[in-house]
Short mmCIF file of all heavy atoms in Angstrom, two decimals:
data_model
loop_
_atom_site.label_atom_id
_atom_site.label_comp_id
_atom_site.label_asym_id
_atom_site.label_seq_id
_atom_site.Cartn_x
_atom_site.Cartn_y
_atom_site.Cartn_z
N ALA A 1547 -26.32 -66.03 -48.72
CA ALA A 1547 -27.22 -66.14 -49.87
C ALA A 1547 -28.03 -67.43 -49.84
O ALA A 1547 -29.22 -67.45 -50.19
CB ALA A 1547 -26.42 -66.05 -51.17
N ASP A 1548 -27.41 -68.55 -49.41
CA ASP A 1548 -28.12 -69.83 -49.39
C ASP A 1548 -29.34 -69.78 -48.45
O ASP A 1548 -30.42 -70.29 -48.79
CB ASP A 1548 -27.18 -70.96 -48.94
CG ASP A 1548 -26.18 -71.33 -50.05
OD1 ASP A 1548 -26.55 -71.18 -51.23
OD2 ASP A 1548 -25.06 -71.74 -49.71
N LYS A 1549 -29.16 -69.18 -47.27
CA LYS A 1549 -30.26 -69.11 -46.30
C LYS A 1549 -31.43 -68.29 -46.86
O LYS A 1549 -32.59 -68.69 -46.75
CB LYS A 1549 -29.77 -68.47 -45.00
CG LYS A 1549 -28.73 -69.30 -44.26
CD LYS A 1549 -28.27 -68.57 -43.00
CE LYS A 1549 -27.18 -69.36 -42.28
NZ LYS A 1549 -26.69 -68.63 -41.08
N TYR A 1550 -31.10 -67.13 -47.46
CA TYR A 1550 -32.15 -66.26 -47.99
C TYR A 1550 -32.84 -66.92 -49.19
O TYR A 1550 -34.05 -66.78 -49.39
CB TYR A 1550 -31.57 -64.91 -48.41
CG TYR A 1550 -31.09 -64.07 -47.26
CD1 TYR A 1550 -29.84 -63.45 -47.30
CD2 TYR A 1550 -31.87 -63.89 -46.13
CE1 TYR A 1550 -29.38 -62.68 -46.24
CE2 TYR A 1550 -31.43 -63.12 -45.07
CZ TYR A 1550 -30.19 -62.51 -45.12
OH TYR A 1550 -29.74 -61.75 -44.08
N ALA A 1551 -32.05 -67.66 -50.00
CA ALA A 1551 -32.60 -68.30 -51.20
C ALA A 1551 -33.69 -69.30 -50.83
O ALA A 1551 -34.77 -69.34 -51.46
CB ALA A 1551 -31.49 -69.00 -51.98
N LEU A 1552 -33.44 -70.12 -49.82
CA LEU A 1552 -34.42 -71.12 -49.42
C LEU A 1552 -35.71 -70.47 -48.92
O LEU A 1552 -36.81 -70.96 -49.19
CB LEU A 1552 -33.81 -72.01 -48.32
CG LEU A 1552 -32.64 -72.90 -48.76
CD1 LEU A 1552 -32.03 -73.63 -47.56
CD2 LEU A 1552 -33.12 -73.92 -49.80
N LYS A 1553 -35.57 -69.36 -48.20
CA LYS A 1553 -36.76 -68.69 -47.65
C LYS A 1553 -37.57 -67.99 -48.74
O LYS A 1553 -38.78 -67.80 -48.60
CB LYS A 1553 -36.34 -67.67 -46.59
CG LYS A 1553 -35.80 -68.34 -45.33
CD LYS A 1553 -35.41 -67.33 -44.27
CE LYS A 1553 -34.89 -68.05 -43.02
NZ LYS A 1553 -34.49 -67.09 -41.96
N ILE A 1554 -36.91 -67.62 -49.84
CA ILE A 1554 -37.62 -66.99 -50.95
C ILE A 1554 -38.26 -68.04 -51.86
O ILE A 1554 -39.19 -67.76 -52.61
CB ILE A 1554 -36.66 -66.08 -51.75
CG1 ILE A 1554 -36.33 -64.82 -50.95
CG2 ILE A 1554 -37.23 -65.67 -53.10
CD1 ILE A 1554 -35.37 -63.89 -51.63
N GLY A 1555 -37.75 -69.29 -51.76
CA GLY A 1555 -38.29 -70.36 -52.60
C GLY A 1555 -37.38 -70.74 -53.74
O GLY A 1555 -37.83 -71.37 -54.71
N LEU A 1556 -36.10 -70.35 -53.65
CA LEU A 1556 -35.13 -70.71 -54.67
C LEU A 1556 -34.31 -71.91 -54.20
O LEU A 1556 -34.27 -72.24 -53.01
CB LEU A 1556 -34.21 -69.51 -54.96
CG LEU A 1556 -34.91 -68.23 -55.46
CD1 LEU A 1556 -33.90 -67.10 -55.59
CD2 LEU A 1556 -35.62 -68.48 -56.79
N LYS A 1557 -33.61 -72.57 -55.16
CA LYS A 1557 -32.88 -73.80 -54.84
C LYS A 1557 -31.64 -73.54 -54.00
O LYS A 1557 -31.33 -74.27 -53.06
CB LYS A 1557 -32.49 -74.53 -56.13
CG LYS A 1557 -33.69 -75.08 -56.89
CD LYS A 1557 -33.23 -75.79 -58.16
CE LYS A 1557 -34.44 -76.35 -58.93
NZ LYS A 1557 -34.01 -77.04 -60.18
N ASN A 1558 -30.88 -72.48 -54.37
CA ASN A 1558 -29.62 -72.24 -53.66
C ASN A 1558 -29.20 -70.77 -53.81
O ASN A 1558 -29.84 -69.99 -54.52
CB ASN A 1558 -28.51 -73.15 -54.19
CG ASN A 1558 -28.39 -73.08 -55.70
OD1 ASN A 1558 -28.29 -71.99 -56.28
ND2 ASN A 1558 -28.40 -74.24 -56.35
N GLY A 1559 -28.07 -70.46 -53.17
CA GLY A 1559 -27.57 -69.09 -53.19
C GLY A 1559 -27.16 -68.62 -54.56
O GLY A 1559 -27.32 -67.44 -54.89
N ASN A 1560 -26.60 -69.50 -55.38
CA ASN A 1560 -26.19 -69.09 -56.73
C ASN A 1560 -27.38 -68.61 -57.56
O ASN A 1560 -27.29 -67.63 -58.30
CB ASN A 1560 -25.50 -70.26 -57.45
CG ASN A 1560 -24.10 -70.50 -56.91
OD1 ASN A 1560 -23.46 -69.56 -56.40
ND2 ASN A 1560 -23.61 -71.73 -57.01
N GLN A 1561 -28.50 -69.32 -57.42
CA GLN A 1561 -29.70 -68.90 -58.15
C GLN A 1561 -30.17 -67.52 -57.68
O GLN A 1561 -30.59 -66.68 -58.48
CB GLN A 1561 -30.81 -69.94 -57.95
CG GLN A 1561 -32.01 -69.71 -58.87
CD GLN A 1561 -33.08 -70.79 -58.72
OE1 GLN A 1561 -32.96 -71.68 -57.90
NE2 GLN A 1561 -34.10 -70.70 -59.53
N LEU A 1562 -30.07 -67.27 -56.35
CA LEU A 1562 -30.44 -65.96 -55.80
C LEU A 1562 -29.53 -64.87 -56.35
O LEU A 1562 -29.99 -63.80 -56.77
CB LEU A 1562 -30.37 -66.00 -54.27
CG LEU A 1562 -30.57 -64.65 -53.56
CD1 LEU A 1562 -31.98 -64.12 -53.80
CD2 LEU A 1562 -30.33 -64.80 -52.06
N LEU A 1563 -28.21 -65.13 -56.34
CA LEU A 1563 -27.26 -64.12 -56.81
C LEU A 1563 -27.43 -63.84 -58.29
O LEU A 1563 -27.31 -62.68 -58.74
CB LEU A 1563 -25.83 -64.58 -56.51
CG LEU A 1563 -25.45 -64.66 -55.02
CD1 LEU A 1563 -24.05 -65.25 -54.85
CD2 LEU A 1563 -25.51 -63.27 -54.39
#
Side-chain angles (χ1 to χ4, degrees):
D1548 287 330
K1549 294 179 182 178
Y1550 292 133
L1552 293 174
K1553 291 181 180 180
I1554 288 178
L1556 300 175
K1557 292 180 180 180
N1558 52 51
N1560 286 333
Q1561 190 177 3
L1562 173 64
L1563 292 174

